[in-house]
């Protein structure tokens, strides 16, 4: 057994990866996690290429380890006011990221912004589970949604995401929100203090049906 590639990835403060996914169409790997480094590796033209020094932010990078050194970092972007936990790859090489995000009114500030959200923002400065889908080049964000419906004292934590080559993405989360089950669900109501929840989200119109990035 041999290690064929190993590279550090970070800036001057604290950088922690949590999720990784392989994209066979582009022979690239996506890594997501959290950082407090404003100089975390990012790229011009990415959705959010700059981050605040010392403040918590998410990150998403795309690496092609088989390219020459100067071309290995395909893109790097910050995910403001969020804590990404996992990433999966959708058709067209589009990365889908899940985790926790702050739902708060931020005006022109760097923050998490919902795009075509399944559930509306509440602007209560609360942590909510989210799903964000980026373009294959990291330049645009065609979809960013909160994944819980009820406010107040409900709790939700998105912990995993998977894709099967179709526009449908599968998200696993823990929740106390009793308004999320769909018709025909295996379990239609919460039984314990907090239950696991599996969501299948059809992103037709956001991702191509198939094809390379």
């Amino acid at each position: 057994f041999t290690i064929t590639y190993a590279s550090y990835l970070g800036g001057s403060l604290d950088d922690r990866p949590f999720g990784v996914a392989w994209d066979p169409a582009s022979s690239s790997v996506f890594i997501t996690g959290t950082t407090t480094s404003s100089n975390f590796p990012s790229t011009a033209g990415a959705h959010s290429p700059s981050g605040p020094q010392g403040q918590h932010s998410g990150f998403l990078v795309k690496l092609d380890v088989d390219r020459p050194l100067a071309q290995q970092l395909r893109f790097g972007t910050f995910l403001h006011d969020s804590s990404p936990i996992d990433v999966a790859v959708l058709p067209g090489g589009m990365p889908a990221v899940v985790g926790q995000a702050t739902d708060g009114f931020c005006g022109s500030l760097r923050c998490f912004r919902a795009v075509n959200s399944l559930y509306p923002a509440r602007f209560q400065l609360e942590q909510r589970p989210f799903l964000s889908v980026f373009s294959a080049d990291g330049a645009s964000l065609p979809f960013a949604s909160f994944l819980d419906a009820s406010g107040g004292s409900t709790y939700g934590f998105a912990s995993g995401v998977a894709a099967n080559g179709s526009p449908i993405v599968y998200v696993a989360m823990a929740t106390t929100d009793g308004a999320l089950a769909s018709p025909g669900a295996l379990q239609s109501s919460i039984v314990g203090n907090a239950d696991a929840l599996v969501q299948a989200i059809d992103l037709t119109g956001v991702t191509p049906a198939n094809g390379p990035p």
Side-chain angles (χ1 to χ4, degrees):
F1 302 99
T2 60
I3 296 174
T4 61
Y5 181 88
S7 175
Y8 295 103
L9 184 67
S12 55
L13 293 177
D14 189 23
D15 316 292
R16 302 185 180 188
F18 292 108
V20 60
W22 173 253
D23 177 22
S26 64
S27 297
S28 300
V29 63
F30 290 97
I31 304 101
T32 194
T34 62
T35 181
T36 55
S37 303
S38 63
N39 60 344
F40 185 89
S42 62
T43 53
H47 181 259
S48 297
S50 61
Q53 181 74 8
Q55 297 184 25
H56 181 92
S57 178
F59 71 80
L60 175 67
V61 299
K62 181 179 183 180
L63 294 179
D64 186 338
V65 302
D66 294 323
R67 291 195 176 203
L69 179 61
Q71 302 175 18
Q72 289 181 11
L73 182 61
R74 300 286 297 276
F75 76 76
T77 184
F78 290 91
L79 282 68
H80 297 296
D81 275 349
S82 66
S83 298
I85 296 296
D86 200 12
V87 58
V89 183
L90 297 171
M94 301 176 71
V97 179
V98 298
Q100 298 298 104
T102 301
D103 180 4
F105 182 76
C106 56
S108 61
L109 300 177
R110 297 187 181 107
C111 65
F112 180 88
R113 297 180 186 275
V115 181
N116 298 314
S117 188
L118 298 168
Y119 302 105
R122 296 191 289 262
F123 307 117
Q124 299 297 316
L125 290 177
E126 57 187 330
Q127 293 293 304
R128 299 178 63 186
F130 78 90
L131 166 67
S132 290
V133 178
F134 290 83
S135 59
D137 61 3
S140 63
L141 182 68
F143 183 84
S145 177
F146 295 111
L147 298 177
D148 59 346
S150 304
S153 59
T154 59
Y155 162 84
F157 185 89
S159 56
V161 61
N164 66 358
S166 77
I168 296 178
V169 63
Y170 299 86
V171 179
M173 57 185 279
T175 185
T176 61
D177 189 339
L180 299 176
S182 63
L186 173 67
Q187 180 179 319
S188 60
S189 61
I190 290 179
V191 177
N193 294 328
D195 281 4
L197 179 78
V198 178
Q199 292 177 317
I201 301 170
D202 189 343
L203 295 171
T204 299
V206 175
T207 70
N210 51 52

